[in-house]
């Protein structure tokens, strides 16, 4: 059952340009990769709404939740000001996460902050015996986040930067496309900018590889009640309907999305 | 000290306390089950139900404003048939009275909705939404003139024995005139306010933030407007008023009760804090205890001017 909690800040450190890694002590009931938490980012009614952040990792033994976020506005700026010992008002885990395929070879494709949920997925998949390749794309090398933490795990990391400062020079989807010429995957999982996700969906679709993507929309309740955060999806019969990102997603089968 | 009496009577319904959700912010109840005891609420109010399934407006549908929320959901709901089949079984086993909020594109649709809900087991009252700013047809069109509003409520009155609550918009020249119109037409209560029309601009993209261009404003930002509407209407009509608009805390709720609301509805607060109504009910009780007020009815309309 989803829950409402107060989590104590253990650490909140800058790990990139305007990007922070937040560790919170809170007991979450079995969070799964792709799920998110919904945080109050202020102590008044302004800003009013909670902010959704993907679960970056969770350690049940230490009861420690990790988040990775970029400061883009008032809420995340407030969050960046929290110090160890502060308490945060959170809701979750919420939403539907990723579903690993029966086959063992999975490709994870992260664009920018899209690494946030895929890091958790990479760790869980590797621990579950999957052969994990993690494709990470960023504008330049300082946007490739927290990859050192994956060392020691059975995860193959493929880097791409727009400016060529690390790894493949170009979009991460171009790197993926090249690899798909000769590599086989049983599932592809992606999170990042919408245009990137659409490209991943196309590449996967062309090769008949099942793909799941994590979507973002402006969100209010996070519980499926207000219908504020919808995206257009194809139904079974090809009709189009609006579904909640918060409760039907944020992870959706790529082929269901009306791009 | 004995527990204060929290019960209020409203449009023939006995509410165990004066706190209920505002339509559209509480889904069909089940979404909040894990967060508060639904049986502790004064009543349950559903999302607006339309005759046919309503797909709703294109996203983005929500935009945050200073201490406020703009929404342009566009009444997305599965329609009456699915509501009756899939949502009512859950709702009817709850203790609080279930108020079904209805919305139509035409007068005929409102009438048909009311006719088909009359006598449905577990439906305690109808809230008639004549104030939605986010639909092209119906909604606010019926709520913006006293004559139109009265005509619609009269037509609904003819086909149902259920208590009728007319939900009013603040986007009118004279909300008191509309309230008097629906009272004369047979409404048993009025609820107000629905959201205020507004918009938000994305400077970067030079576009409106909302896919629907405009939306309805709610939350703390609208509270003073809502309080004033409630106060004015409560003085001028005999039927009870359900007050809403920016109620986040027990203090807010108490202000509405003082201003003359017989009950209050909590909307946007549910989206921020799913336990908001439980906390508001507890806060009301604590206030009454602290001030040696035995019965919540003693503060309703007790504002001194
Ligand atoms: C399910 C989900 C998971 C997410 N996970 C993460 C994560 O792990 N790490 C992370 O850094 N971010 C994540 N986000 C995005 C994050 O929620 C927003 O960046 C955050 O809410 C912005 O809050 P703010 O107050 O700082 O910015 P605001 O002041 O609210 O907005 C700043 C700017 O961002 C725009 N904006 C805000 N929210 C959105 C949105 N949802 N879609 C498009 N534009 C928007 C605004 O228009 C504005 O230009 C996630 C979003 C969703 C829906
Ligand atoms: C997301 C959202 C959806 C709403 N949907 C409806 C609706 O379907 N029918 C209706 O009568 N009012 C609807 N409303 C209006 C609320 O019921 C309420 O009148 C208004 O939001 C003011 O109260 P608040 O400030 O406490 O939210 C909606 C409001 C919000 C924020």
């Amino acid at each position: 059952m989803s829950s409402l909690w107060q989590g104590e800040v253990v650490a909140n450190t800058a790990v990139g340009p305007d990007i922070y890694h937040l560790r919170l002590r809170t007991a979450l009931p079995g969070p799964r990769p792709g799920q998110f938490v919904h945080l109050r980012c202020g102590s008044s009614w302004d800003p009013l709404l909670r902010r959704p952040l993907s679960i970056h990792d969770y350690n049940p033994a230490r009861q420690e939740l990790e988040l990775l976020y970029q400061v883009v506005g008032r809420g995340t700026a407030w969050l960046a000001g929290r110090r160890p010992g502060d308490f945060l008002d959170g809701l979750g885990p919420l939403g539907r996460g990723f579903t690993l395929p029966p086959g063992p070879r999975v490709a994870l494709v992260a664009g920018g902050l899209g690494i946030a949920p895929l890091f958790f997925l990479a760790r869980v998949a590797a621990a579950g015996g999957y052969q994990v390749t993690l494709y990470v794309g960023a504008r330049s090398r300082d946007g490739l986040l927290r990859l050192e933490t994956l060392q020691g795990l059975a995860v193959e990391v493929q880097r791409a930067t727009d400016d060529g400062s690390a790894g493949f020079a170009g979009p991460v989807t171009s790197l993926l496309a090249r690899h798909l010429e000769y590599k086989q995957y049983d599932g592809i999982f992606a999170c990042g900018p919408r245009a990137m996700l659409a490209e991943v969906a196309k590449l996967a679709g062309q090769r008949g590889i099942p793909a799941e993507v994590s979507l973002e929309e402006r969100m209010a309740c996070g519980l499926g009640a207000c219908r504020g955060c919808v995206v257009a999806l194809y139904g079974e019969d090809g009709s189009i309907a609006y579904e909640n990102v918060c409760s039907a997603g944020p992870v959706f089968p790529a082929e269901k999305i009306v791009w | 000290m004995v527990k204060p009496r929290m019960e209020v009577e409203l449009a023939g319904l006995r509410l165990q306390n004066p706190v209920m959700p505002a339509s559209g912010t509480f889904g069909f109840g089940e979404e909040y089950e894990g967060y508060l005891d639904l049986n502790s609420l004064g009543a349950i109010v559903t999302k607006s139900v339309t005759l046919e399934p309503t797909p709703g407006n294109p996203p983005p549908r929500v935009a945050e404003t200073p201490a406020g929320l703009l929404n342009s959901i566009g009444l997305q709901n599965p329609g009456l048939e699915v509501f009756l089949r899939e949502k009512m079984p859950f709702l009817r086993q709850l203790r609080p009275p279930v108020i079904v909020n209805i919305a139509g594109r035409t007068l005929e649709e409102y009438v048909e909705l009311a006719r088909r809900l009359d006598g449905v087991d577990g439906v305690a009252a109808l809230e008639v939404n004549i104030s939605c700013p986010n639909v092209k047809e119906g909604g606010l069109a019926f709520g913006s003139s006293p004559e139109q509003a009265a005509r619609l409520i009269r037509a609904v009155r003819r086909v149902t024995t259920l208590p009728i609550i007319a939900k009013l918009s603040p986007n009118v020249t004279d909300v008191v005139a509309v309230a008097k119109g629906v009272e004369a037409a047979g409404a048993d209560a009025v609820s107000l306010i629905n959201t205020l029309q507004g918009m938000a601009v994305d400077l970067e993209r030079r576009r409106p933030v909302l896919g629907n261009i405009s939306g309805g404003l709610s939350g703390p930002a609208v509270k003073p407007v809502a309080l004033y509407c409630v106060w004015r209407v409560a003085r001028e009509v005999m039927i009870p008023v359900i007050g809403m608009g920016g109620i986040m805390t027990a203090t807010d709720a108490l202000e509405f009760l003082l201003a003359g609301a017989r009950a209050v509805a909590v909307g946007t607060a549910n989206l921020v804090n799913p336990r908001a109504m439980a906390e508001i009910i507890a806060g009301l009780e604590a206030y009454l205890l602290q001030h040696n007020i035995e019965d919540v009815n003693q503060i309703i309309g007790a504002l001194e001017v």
Side-chain angles (χ1 to χ4, degrees), chain A residues 144-197:
Chain A
L144 297 171
L145 303 162
R146 306 203 69 244
L147 297 178
E148 71 289 350
T149 325
L150 287 171
Q151 277 165 12
L153 293 181
V155 175
E156 176 196 343
V157 179
Q158 293 287 345
R159 296 168 173 78
T161 52
D162 294 342
D163 65 3
S165 55
F168 176 82
V172 67
T173 45
S174 300
L175 177 60
L176 176 69
R178 288 195 182 185
H179 283 201
L180 287 177
E181 302 285 325
Y182 58 93
K183 289 185 89 161
Q184 305 292 320
Y185 289 114
D186 302 303
I188 301 182
F189 303 88
C191 183
R194 201 172 163 100
M196 181 207 106
L197 298 180

Side-chain angles (χ1 to χ4, degrees), chain B residues 149-268:
Chain B
R151 192 167 72 94
L152 187 113
I153 295 299
R154 211 174 298 120
V156 171
R157 177 74 291 165
R158 269 189 225 113
V159 297
T160 184
T161 53
L162 289 169
I164 295 174
I165 304 162
K167 182 156 179 184
L168 308 185
S169 170
N171 280 120
V172 294
T173 315
D174 183 2
V175 69
V176 171
V178 181
K180 284 185 168 169
V182 297
E183 178 179 40
D188 302 282
V190 288
S191 55
L192 66 157
I193 59 174
N194 206 319
T195 53
L196 280 153
Q197 282 177 293
M199 78 183 290
V201 166
D202 183 336
L203 181 61
E204 266 322 273
R205 291 165 54 243
R206 296 198 175 184
R207 300 181 68 88
V209 174
L210 296 174
N212 188 49
I213 302 175
S214 69
L217 185 65
S218 65
V222 310
K223 193 184 105 179
V225 177
L227 260 177
Y228 186 53
C229 287
V230 164
W231 180 70
R232 287 183 57 209
V233 168
R235 281 156 51 107
E236 299 279 348
V237 297
M238 302 298 291
I239 53 178
V241 174
I242 304 173
M244 71 190 88
I247 296 176
M248 307 299 283
T249 63
T251 305
D252 297 329
L254 283 157
E255 291 172 15
F256 276 82
L257 295 174
L258 273 184
R262 182 79 58 87
V264 294
V266 176
T268 303

Side-chain angles (χ1 to χ4, degrees), chain B residues 53 70 99 186 203 243:
Chain B
L70 276 170
I99 300 172
L203 181 61

Side-chain angles (χ1 to χ4, degrees), chain A residues 51-54 68-70 72-76 116 216-218:
Chain A
R51 302 300 195 247
L53 293 175
S54 300
L68 188 70
Y69 64 95
Q70 182 166 22
V72 297
R74 294 199 307 147
T76 45
E216 288 188 11
E217 221 355 292
R218 286 158 195 273

